Amino acid sequence: VSQSRYLGGYISVDQLKEVYGLADSNFLKLRSRLKIENGYIPIKIQINKATYQEFRRHPYIGHLFAKSVLAYINMHGSINGIEELLKIGSLLESEVMKAAPYIDFGI
């Protein structure tokens, strides 16, 4: 599944519903046999160091998200946590929370 490569790994079985070409009926048949390893940590984007292109490779980070984060970092120097990311007015809470497990806030 190529999306997994850009995603950084799946943290929930339900994310497999997003895989292009996987019919809902097939997902429902397979769901009970699928599991995510306990303690799995996905590959993360270093939010304070990433370029626009690095952000855009991630399936959950769109153009507006990437541009907004980069503008905020340019003005404030860094983003230190999810709470600060949620304060960026142009970002929806739902998109921030969807991307959050894939973000490293280290400086």
Side-chain angles (χ1 to χ4, degrees):
V1 178
S2 64
Q3 179 180 346
S4 177
R5 184 175 93 201
Y6 296 109
L7 186 62
Y10 296 104
I11 59 169
S12 166
V13 169
D14 288 331
Q15 286 177 290
L16 293 170
K17 289 190 273 186
E18 300 170 3
V19 173
Y20 179 78
L22 180 61
D24 288 343
S25 58
N26 288 335
F27 172 76
L28 291 173
K29 289 176 192 174
L30 295 171
R31 190 181 193 304
S32 64
R33 294 187 230 162
L34 301 171
K35 72 176 192 166
I36 303 296
E37 185 177 322
N38 287 338
Y40 174 75
I41 299 173
I43 297 169
K44 297 186 178 208
I45 297 170
Q46 294 184 334
I47 196 167
N48 292 302
K49 296 178 182 176
T51 65
Y52 174 81
Q53 290 79 14
E54 290 168 328
F55 280 124
R56 288 296 291 129
R57 275 189 219 118
H58 197 281
Y60 293 166
I61 298 179
H63 170 76
L64 181 60
F65 190 111
K67 286 294 204 181
S68 298
V69 166
L70 291 169
Y72 186 93
I73 291 169
N74 190 41
M75 289 178 61
H76 301 281
S78 65
I79 298 175
N80 299 307
I82 192 75
E83 299 80 20
E84 195 172 352
L85 188 58
L86 286 166
K87 290 179 184 176
I88 299 174
S90 58
L91 302 180
L92 298 173
E93 181 178 356
S94 59
E95 67 184 346
V96 169
M97 298 312 291
K98 190 172 184 177
Y102 300 96
I103 297 173
D104 178 355
F105 291 96
I107 295 177

